[in-house]
Structures are given as structure tokens and as C-alpha cells.
């Protein structure tokens, strides 16, 4: 099959309209609640279980009202969370940070699934974030190892992945947590955090060492406070 060509894909967990509504309702810049970071507009992307992009949206009034580069980051976050989660075990992109650092057990992970270049830069930019986004129906690839990507579960199976980008990585995680819940796809069975499944874990010491092995840096804003309120994050040592 020619690289970047559309192919038959698994069912999409959320169509464009549902994703757009959930995103706008959960980003402060578009009328939603605060998430602790810059409070900028955001991109969202959903991949089906087979890794094909099936929905892309943005919360602002125009495609450039949020970081243009975050469209692909959101799609790659969705790909990462979907590709590294199973029916009985979820990994968020935030859970991958510590292990992917030099000396970590996942060092080099970012290079394992290259971005599909033909899909990434194809199409008319005026259609980006619409129901006809050029990424739709194509695998994007890519691995992202910071917050904002979550696997999607409908209570019966894993059905794909969600990626959010456009703010700090910690705020992106909070937005993703809210959007996943709004879509009703947050029936996570298990994860590296026994209490809050694939929550972001803020347990890095001053030297950057994660007590749990699944930690993520705490960003400079109030993202950690929002995470505590949402249940989307935990602090301190997490049992292995």
C-alpha cells in the first residue's frame, strides 16, 4: 500500500462533532474550566484502535488560534496512548516520561514508530481540524512521552486513543482527562497507578529520578492542583 494512503479502519470512538463539543467544553479559552497552565486553545485528535486518525478538532475560532504545531503532536499522542495500551492495562503518554529519559528502561522509545511523513504534511491547511482533515483515515505514527495522550475505553474494550496539545504538557493531560470523561470513554481497567489508573504521576526528585519509574515533571503553573481536584494526577511514591 502506498505510504499515507487511506485504508479501511476500525470504528472511530468519537466523531468530529462529539470531539469538538467535548474539547470546547473543557478548555478555558473556549468557555470551559481552568486547567492550570497557559489556558490557551487546544488541538484534539482521536485514533481508532488500528492507529488510523479518525477525528481532529481545535477549540479556537481559527486553525491558528492554537499552536499550529500541536495538531500533529495531538495526533501522535493519541497514537502513542493507543499503541502502548491494552484491553487490561492503560499507559498514558505522561506515564512514559521517566522511562524514556537517558538511562531509563524505555530510553529510545521515541524513535521506534516514526511519523508518517506523507500523511503529516499533506492536504489543504484550510481543512485542518475539520471533519475533512487530511489526516482522517491515515496512520500518523509517532511516539510522544509527555502528558496529553490517553487510551480510550468503552467499558468493554480499548477502542482507540485521544491526544490533546496546545498548552503545557501537564495542562494537556488535565484537558485530555476531562475530554475523555465527557466522551464517556474513561472506563480504564488498570494502569501503573493502582488507584487512578493512567493518571499523571508527579514523583520526580530534584535530580529527575522518578520514585515509581512512571513519573512526569510538575509544570510551572497550577496544573498539579487541578489534577488533584480532577483525580487525574498523584504525587509522591506510587507502589510498584
Amino acid at each position: 500500500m502506498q505510504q499515507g494512503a487511506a485504508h479501511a479502519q476500525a470504528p472511530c470512538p468519537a466523531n468530529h462533532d462529539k470531539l469538538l463539543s467535548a474539547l470546547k467544553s473543557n478548555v478555558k479559552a473556549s468557555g470551559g474550566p481552568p486547567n492550570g497552565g497557559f489556558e490557551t486553545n487546544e488541538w484534539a485528535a482521536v485514533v481508532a484502535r488500528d492507529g488510523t486518525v479518525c477525528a481532529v478538532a481545535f477549540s479556537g475560532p481559527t486553525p491558528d488560534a492554537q499552536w499550529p504545531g500541536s495538531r500533529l503532536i495531538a495526533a501522535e499522542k493519541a497514537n502513542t496512548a493507543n499503541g502502548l495500551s491494552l484491553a487490561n492495562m492503560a499507559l498514558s503518554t505522561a506515564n512514559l516520561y521517566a522511562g524514556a529519559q537517558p538511562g531509563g528502561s524505555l530510553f529510545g522509545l521515541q524513535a521506534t514508530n516514526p511519523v508518517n511523513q506523507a500523511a503529516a504534511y499533506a492536504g489543504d491547511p484550510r481543512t485542518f481540524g475539520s471533519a475533512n482533515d487530511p489526516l482522517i483515515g491515515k496512520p500518523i505514527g509517532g511516539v510522544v512521552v509527555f502528558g496529553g495522550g490517553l487510551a480510550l475505553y468503552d467499558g468493554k474494550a480499548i477502542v482507540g486513543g485521544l491526544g490533546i496539545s496546545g498548552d503545557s504538557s501537564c495542562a494537556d493531560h488535565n484537558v485530555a482527562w476531562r475530554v475523555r470523561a465527557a466522551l464517556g470513554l474513561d472506563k480504564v481497567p488498570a494502569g501503573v497507578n493502582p488507584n487512578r489508573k493512567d493518571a499523571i504521576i508527579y514523583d520526580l526528585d530534584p535530580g529527575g529520578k522518578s520514585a515509581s519509574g512512571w513519573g512526569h515533571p510538575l509544570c510551572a503553573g497550577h496544573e498539579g492542583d487541578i489534577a488533584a481536584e480532577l483525580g487525574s494526577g498523584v504525587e509522591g511514591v506510587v507502589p510498584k
Side-chain angles (χ1 to χ4, degrees), residues 72-84 92-94 96-97 100 106-116 140-147 149:
L72 292 180
I73 297 172
E76 292 167 39
K77 286 181 181 181
N79 177 72
T80 304
N82 174 66
L84 296 178
S92 65
T93 55
L96 304 174
Y97 177 88
L106 298 174
F107 180 61
L109 179 65
Q110 298 97 312
T112 59
N113 289 266
V115 174
N116 179 351
I140 185 58
V143 174
V144 176
V145 295
F146 48 83

Side-chain angles (χ1 to χ4, degrees), residues 170 200-204 216-225 235:
C170 304
I200 195 168
I201 301 171
Y202 293 124
D203 70 349
L204 270 64
H216 188 284
L218 182 63
C219 300
H222 298 286
E223 299 96 333
D225 296 332
E235 297 183 8

